[in-house]
Coordinates of all heavy atoms in Angstrom, one line a residue:
S451 N -42.1 -5.7 11.4 CA -41.3 -6.8 11.0 C -41.8 -7.5 9.8 O -41.0 -8.0 9.0 CB -41.1 -7.8 12.2 OG -42.3 -8.5 12.5
I452 N -43.1 -7.6 9.7 CA -43.7 -8.2 8.5 C -43.3 -7.4 7.2 O -42.9 -8.0 6.2 CB -45.3 -8.3 8.7 CG1 -45.6 -9.2 9.8 CG2 -45.9 -8.7 7.4 CD1 -47.1 -9.1 10.2
G453 N -43.5 -6.1 7.3 CA -43.1 -5.3 6.2 C -41.6 -5.3 5.9 O -41.2 -5.3 4.7
A454 N -40.8 -5.3 7.0 CA -39.3 -5.4 6.8 C -38.9 -6.7 6.1 O -38.1 -6.7 5.2 CB -38.7 -5.3 8.1
K455 N -39.5 -7.8 6.4 CA -39.2 -9.1 5.8 C -39.6 -9.1 4.4 O -38.9 -9.6 3.5 CB -39.8 -10.2 6.6 CG -39.5 -11.6 6.1 CD -38.0 -11.9 6.2 CE -37.6 -13.3 5.7 NZ -36.2 -13.6 5.8
M456 N -40.8 -8.5 4.1 CA -41.2 -8.5 2.7 C -40.4 -7.5 1.8 O -40.2 -7.7 0.7 CB -42.7 -8.0 2.6 CG -43.7 -9.0 3.1 SD -45.4 -8.5 3.0 CE -46.2 -10.1 3.4
G457 N -39.8 -6.5 2.5 CA -38.9 -5.6 1.8 C -37.5 -6.2 1.6 O -36.8 -5.8 0.7
A458 N -37.1 -7.0 2.5 CA -35.8 -7.6 2.5 C -35.9 -9.1 2.7 O -35.5 -9.7 3.7 CB -34.9 -7.0 3.5
P459 N -36.5 -9.9 1.7 CA -36.8 -11.3 1.9 C -35.5 -12.2 2.1 O -35.6 -13.3 2.7 CB -37.5 -11.7 0.7 CG -37.2 -10.6 -0.3 CD -36.9 -9.4 0.4
D460 N -34.4 -11.7 1.7 CA -33.2 -12.5 1.8 C -32.4 -12.3 3.1 O -31.4 -12.9 3.3 CB -32.2 -12.2 0.6 CG -32.8 -12.6 -0.7 OD1 -33.6 -13.5 -0.7 OD2 -32.5 -12.0 -1.7
R461 N -33.0 -11.4 4.0 CA -32.3 -11.1 5.2 C -33.1 -11.7 6.4 O -34.3 -11.8 6.3 CB -32.1 -9.6 5.4 CG -31.1 -9.0 4.3 CD -30.7 -7.6 4.7 NE -29.9 -7.7 5.9 CZ -29.6 -6.6 6.7 NH1 -30.0 -5.4 6.3 NH2 -28.8 -6.7 7.7
E462 N -32.4 -12.0 7.5 CA -33.1 -12.4 8.7 C -33.7 -11.2 9.4 O -33.0 -10.2 9.5 CB -32.1 -13.1 9.6 CG -32.7 -13.9 10.8 CD -33.4 -15.2 10.2 OE1 -32.6 -16.1 9.8 OE2 -34.6 -15.3 10.3
V463 N -35.0 -11.3 9.8 CA -35.6 -10.2 10.5 C -36.1 -10.7 11.8 O -36.8 -11.7 11.9 CB -36.9 -9.7 9.7 CG1 -37.6 -8.7 10.5 CG2 -36.4 -9.1 8.3
V464 N -35.6 -10.1 12.9 CA -35.9 -10.4 14.2 C -36.7 -9.3 14.9 O -36.1 -8.2 15.0 CB -34.7 -10.8 15.0 CG1 -35.0 -11.2 16.4 CG2 -33.8 -11.9 14.3
A465 N -37.9 -9.6 15.4 CA -38.6 -8.6 16.1 C -38.4 -8.7 17.6 O -38.5 -9.8 18.2 CB -40.1 -8.7 15.8
I466 N -38.0 -7.6 18.3 CA -37.7 -7.6 19.7 C -38.8 -6.8 20.3 O -39.0 -5.6 20.1 CB -36.3 -7.0 20.0 CG1 -35.2 -7.7 19.2 CG2 -36.1 -7.0 21.5 CD1 -35.0 -9.1 19.6
I467 N -39.6 -7.5 21.2 CA -40.9 -6.8 21.7 C -41.0 -7.1 23.2 O -40.6 -8.1 23.7 CB -42.1 -7.4 20.9 CG1 -41.8 -7.5 19.4 CG2 -43.3 -6.5 21.2 CD1 -43.0 -8.2 18.6
G468 N -41.6 -6.1 23.9 CA -41.9 -6.3 25.3 C -43.3 -6.9 25.4 O -44.1 -6.9 24.5
D469 N -43.6 -7.5 26.6 CA -44.9 -8.1 26.8 C -46.1 -7.1 26.7 O -47.2 -7.5 26.3 CB -45.0 -8.9 28.1 CG -44.4 -8.1 29.3 OD1 -43.4 -7.5 29.2 OD2 -45.1 -8.1 30.3
G470 N -45.8 -5.9 27.0 CA -46.9 -4.8 26.9 C -47.2 -4.5 25.4 O -48.3 -4.6 25.0
G471 N -46.1 -4.1 24.7 CA -46.3 -3.6 23.3 C -46.8 -4.8 22.4 O -47.6 -4.6 21.5
Y472 N -46.4 -6.0 22.8 CA -46.8 -7.2 22.0 C -48.3 -7.3 21.9 O -48.9 -7.6 20.9 CB -46.1 -8.4 22.5 CG -46.4 -9.7 21.7 CD1 -46.0 -9.8 20.4 CD2 -47.1 -10.7 22.3 CE1 -46.2 -10.9 19.7 CE2 -47.3 -11.9 21.6 CZ -46.9 -12.0 20.3 OH -47.1 -13.1 19.6
Q473 N -48.9 -7.1 23.1 CA -50.4 -7.3 23.2 C -51.2 -6.1 22.5 O -52.4 -6.2 22.4 CB -50.8 -7.4 24.6 CG -50.2 -8.7 25.2 CD -50.6 -9.0 26.7 OE1 -51.7 -9.4 27.0 NE2 -49.7 -8.7 27.5
M474 N -50.5 -5.1 22.1 CA -51.2 -4.0 21.4 C -51.5 -4.4 19.9 O -52.5 -4.0 19.3 CB -50.4 -2.7 21.4 CG -50.4 -2.1 22.8 SD -49.8 -0.4 22.8 CE -50.2 0.1 24.4
T475 N -50.6 -5.2 19.3 CA -50.8 -5.6 17.9 C -50.6 -7.0 17.6 O -50.3 -7.4 16.5 CB -49.9 -4.7 17.0 OG1 -48.5 -4.9 17.4 CG2 -50.3 -3.2 17.0
C476 N -50.7 -7.9 18.6 CA -50.4 -9.3 18.4 C -51.5 -9.9 17.5 O -51.3 -11.1 17.0 CB -50.3 -10.1 19.7 SG -51.8 -10.1 20.7
N477 N -52.6 -9.2 17.2 CA -53.5 -9.7 16.2 C -52.9 -9.8 14.8 O -53.4 -10.6 14.0 CB -54.8 -8.8 16.1 CG -54.4 -7.3 15.9 OD1 -53.3 -6.9 16.0 ND2 -55.4 -6.6 15.4
E478 N -51.7 -9.2 14.6 CA -51.1 -9.3 13.3 C -50.4 -10.7 13.1 O -49.9 -10.9 12.1 CB -50.1 -8.2 13.1 CG -50.7 -6.8 13.1 CD -51.8 -6.6 12.0 OE1 -51.8 -7.4 11.0 OE2 -52.6 -5.7 12.2
L479 N -50.4 -11.5 14.2 CA -50.1 -12.9 14.0 C -50.9 -13.5 12.9 O -50.5 -14.4 12.2 CB -50.2 -13.7 15.3 CG -49.2 -13.3 16.4 CD1 -49.6 -14.1 17.6 CD2 -47.8 -13.6 16.0
G480 N -52.2 -13.0 12.8 CA -53.1 -13.5 11.7 C -52.5 -13.1 10.3 O -52.7 -13.9 9.4
T481 N -51.9 -12.0 10.2 CA -51.3 -11.6 8.9 C -50.1 -12.6 8.6 O -50.0 -13.0 7.4 CB -50.8 -10.2 9.0 OG1 -51.8 -9.3 9.3 CG2 -50.2 -9.8 7.6
I482 N -49.4 -13.0 9.6 CA -48.3 -14.0 9.4 C -48.9 -15.3 9.0 O -48.4 -16.0 8.1 CB -47.4 -14.1 10.7 CG1 -46.7 -12.7 10.9 CG2 -46.4 -15.2 10.6 CD1 -45.9 -12.7 12.2
L483 N -49.9 -15.7 9.7 CA -50.6 -17.0 9.3 C -51.0 -17.0 7.9 O -50.8 -18.0 7.2 CB -51.8 -17.2 10.3 CG -52.7 -18.4 10.0 CD1 -52.0 -19.7 10.2 CD2 -54.0 -18.3 10.8
Q484 N -51.6 -15.9 7.4 CA -52.1 -15.9 6.0 C -51.0 -15.7 5.0 O -51.1 -16.3 3.9 CB -53.1 -14.7 5.9 CG -53.9 -14.7 4.6 CD -55.2 -13.9 4.7 OE1 -55.6 -13.5 5.7 NE2 -55.8 -13.6 3.5
T485 N -50.0 -14.9 5.3 CA -49.0 -14.7 4.3 C -47.8 -15.6 4.4 O -47.0 -15.7 3.4 CB -48.4 -13.2 4.5 OG1 -47.8 -13.1 5.8 CG2 -49.5 -12.2 4.3
K486 N -47.6 -16.3 5.5 CA -46.5 -17.2 5.8 C -45.2 -16.5 5.7 O -44.1 -17.1 5.5 CB -46.5 -18.3 4.7 CG -47.8 -19.1 4.6 CD -48.2 -19.8 5.9 CE -49.4 -20.6 5.8 NZ -49.9 -21.2 7.1
V487 N -45.1 -15.2 6.0 CA -43.9 -14.4 6.0 C -43.1 -14.9 7.2 O -43.5 -14.9 8.3 CB -44.1 -12.9 6.0 CG1 -44.9 -12.5 7.3 CG2 -42.8 -12.1 5.9
P488 N -41.8 -15.3 7.0 CA -41.0 -15.9 8.1 C -40.2 -14.9 8.9 O -39.0 -14.7 8.8 CB -40.1 -16.8 7.3 CG -39.9 -16.1 6.0 CD -41.1 -15.4 5.7
V489 N -40.9 -14.3 9.9 CA -40.3 -13.4 10.8 C -40.0 -14.2 12.1 O -40.7 -15.1 12.5 CB -41.1 -12.1 11.1 CG1 -41.2 -11.3 9.8 CG2 -42.4 -12.5 11.7
K490 N -39.0 -13.7 12.8 CA -38.6 -14.3 14.1 C -39.1 -13.3 15.2 O -38.7 -12.1 15.2 CB -37.2 -14.6 14.2 CG -36.6 -15.4 13.0 CD -37.3 -16.7 12.8 CE -37.0 -17.4 11.5 NZ -35.6 -17.7 11.3

Side-chain angles (χ1 to χ4, degrees):
S451 67
I452 295 171
K455 184 63 178 178
M456 289 181 170
D460 295 332
R461 298 193 63 193
E462 196 70 68
V463 174
V464 182
I466 306 294
I467 317 176
D469 47 313
Y472 184 62
Q473 293 180 79
M474 288 191 169
T475 54
C476 62
N477 55 343
E478 297 304 336
L479 291 175
T481 306
I482 295 174
L483 174 66
Q484 188 163 347
T485 62
K486 306 300 182 186
V487 61
V489 298
K490 310 300 168 61

